[in-house]
Amino acid sequence: MTAAFASTRDLVKRFGPGAPALDGVTMDVVPGRITGLIGPDSAGKTTLIRLLAGLLRPDSGTIEVLGDVPGTHAIDIGYMPQRFGLYEDLSVLQNLTLYAELRGLPREEHDPTFARLMDFTDLARFQARPAGKLSGGMKQKLGLACALIRTPKLLLLDEPGVGVDPISRRELWSMVKTLTGEGIAVLWSTAYLDEAEACDHVYLLDSGKLLFGGPPGDMTGKIADRVFRLSGFAGNRRKLLEKVLDRPEIADGTIQGSGLRLLLRAGSAAPADLGGTLDPAPPRFEDAYVDILGGGPGGTSKLAEVYREVPHDERPAIEAKGLTKVFGDFTAAEQIDFTIPRGEIFGLLGPNGAGKSTTFKMLCGLLKPSAGTGSVAGHDLRRAAAAARASLGYMAQKFSLYGDLSVKQNLEFFAGAYDLDRAAAKAAIERMVAIFDLESRLGADAGTLPLGYKQRLALACAVMHEPPVLFLDEPTSGVDPITRREFWTHINGLVGRGVTVLVTTHFMDEAEYCDRIALIYRAREIAIGTPDDLKAQARRAGAGDDPTMEDAFIALIEASDREREKAQAA
C-alpha cells in the first residue's frame, strides 16, 4: 500500500468548553488520488485542514504530514483556504509575483513558473487584469495557481468550488485531477456532492466525528434499492412533495423535472398511495449522504405557515423588457426579456460574469438600466423604484448581513430598513427568532456565525416584512445539502402562499425547483423554458439521451459558443 502523505490517528481538537471540533478522527491522504472531505456546517472540515497545514495544534491524537509534524515541510504543501488571500488591486501577474516572493521561489524560476501556471489555468490573456475584476471562476483558478507556485507534494483545498459555475468547477476539477497524475496528494473539501462522488476516497464528518471513510461507491451502495422516481401524478408537485416529505417512511425527496425523486428509510416498503407511478431510480452519492445523516428536514415550512397570502394580481409579479446595462465599453447585460407571474419560481442560470447579478441589481433598483424597462409587483423601476424595492425581499450573494452587528441588531436594522413600526418590528423579530431557531445566538456577531446560521439570518432579514416578491442571489452558495433542503422547504412553502421568487444558483439540482429558467451567457439570454424544456434542447445539442441539468447547462453554453464562432467565421 502506498504510504500516506498526510495522516491522523484519533485526532481531537477543542475550542474552549463543550463538544470538541474534532473527536477521534483517523484518516489518510494518499499520493496520486483526490481524497474528498464532506460534512454539514461546523462538522470540522476546515479545522482538520488547518491542522494538516500546521496552522493549529491538536489537543490529543497524532498528525503526520510528509513524514513529520505539520509545518515542518511547509514548502512542499499547497494550501488554498475558503477565502483565498488574493490582492484585488493587484493584477493576476502581480499576485503570482507576490506569492512567489512569499514562498521563496528563486527569481530565475519566476518567468518559467508563471508561464507554466498561466498556461495550466488559461489565465495568460488576463495577466494584466486586477484580481478584483476577475469572475468567480477566474479568481479560483488564480488562487489555485498561487497555491501551486512551488509544486507541492500535498495540496489542501478548502471548498475551492464555492460560488463557481459548473463549467468553471469542471475545469478546476480537471486541473487538479491532472496534478494527481504527477503523484501529488490532494485533499478536497466540498459542499458539491457530485465532486465528492468523483473522488477516489471520501471522508464524511459530522459534529467532529468521522461517520464514513472509503470509496464513494461503497456509501452509495448502501441505499441502492431505496431510491425511486415518482411521475405521472396530478396536481402541484410542490404541494405533493410537502406531503410526501412529512411521511415517516420517506427519508428525503427533491423535485426532478416534472416528477419527484424519493429516498425511502431503511426497512420501509415503497408506498402505493402517492397517486402516480413509482419507478426505481439509480442512487446518487447525495442520497447516501442525506441518509447517513438521518434524512432531510421534512416538508412543512414554519415560515410559510405564518406568512400572509399574497393577493392575486393580473399584472406580472416581475417583468424585464429589453433590460440592458453598459459600463463604459463593456456590456454586462443586453436585451434581457422575461415575465414572471405570481407564485412562480424563476431561475437565472449562467457562468460567472454572464450578467445574472447585474440583471438582479437592475430589477432591485440598485442599478439604473442603460436601456429597457423593468417592474416589480406592478411598480415601474424608472418611475417608482422606491415602491418596487419596498415590495421585495433581497438576499444577496454572501448574504447581506452586517458582520460586526449582533444577530438581534441585524434583525432590528432590517426591520427599520423595511419601515416596520415598533410593534410590527417586535412581532416580526419574535417570529423570525422562533422560526429560524436564533434565540441562543441573538448576542453573537453575525460575522462569527456558522454558514448555515448566516443563511437562516439572511433569509429572516429578507422576509420579515412579508414581501410578495423574493430575489435570491446564490442563496445557498457553500451551504451543505441538508441546510439547502431546509432552505428550499421554506421557499416552496412561500410560493404556495403566492410569493414570487427570482433566484440564481450554481447548484444545478436546485434549478429543478424552478418553474422556468432563463440561461444567460455573455450578457444575453440564450435559452428559456422549464427545466425539462432545457434538457430537451440539450439533447438536440448532443448532450445524450438523459441529460442532467448540469449536462444541459454545459451543452447549451457550448452550443452557443459554436454558433458564435460560426457567425464570426461567416
Side-chain angles (χ1 to χ4, degrees), residues 431-462:
R431 285 197 306 272
M432 296 302 106
V433 169
I435 289 167
F436 293 104
D437 191 26
L438 298 173
E439 182 68 40
S440 64
R441 299 179 183 266
L442 284 176
D445 286 353
T448 67
L449 294 175
L451 191 58
Y453 273 95
K454 284 182 181 176
Q455 185 206 52
R456 290 183 187 182
L457 177 58
L459 180 58
C461 291

Side-chain angles (χ1 to χ4, degrees), residues 47 58 230 289 456:
T47 298
L230 179 64
Y289 173 97
R456 290 183 187 182

Side-chain angles (χ1 to χ4, degrees), residues 43-109:
K45 304 184 296 295
T46 295
T47 298
L48 177 57
I49 288 177
R50 288 175 177 170
L51 283 160
L52 292 172
L55 301 177
L56 297 172
R57 292 188 177 182
D59 292 302
S60 64
T62 61
I63 312 179
E64 190 174 281
V65 176
L66 301 177
D68 219 321
V69 296
T72 305
H73 303 284
I75 200 168
D76 291 319
I77 296 174
Y79 174 41
M80 185 175 168
Q82 285 184 23
R83 294 171 182 82
F84 196 83
L86 297 176
Y87 291 83
E88 300 212 337
D89 292 334
L90 298 183
S91 69
V92 168
L93 183 58
Q94 288 169 333
N95 268 278
L96 288 172
T97 302
L98 175 62
Y99 276 93
E101 296 288 347
L102 291 173
R103 296 296 301 274
L105 186 71
R107 186 65 61 113
E108 63 272 15
E109 295 182 24

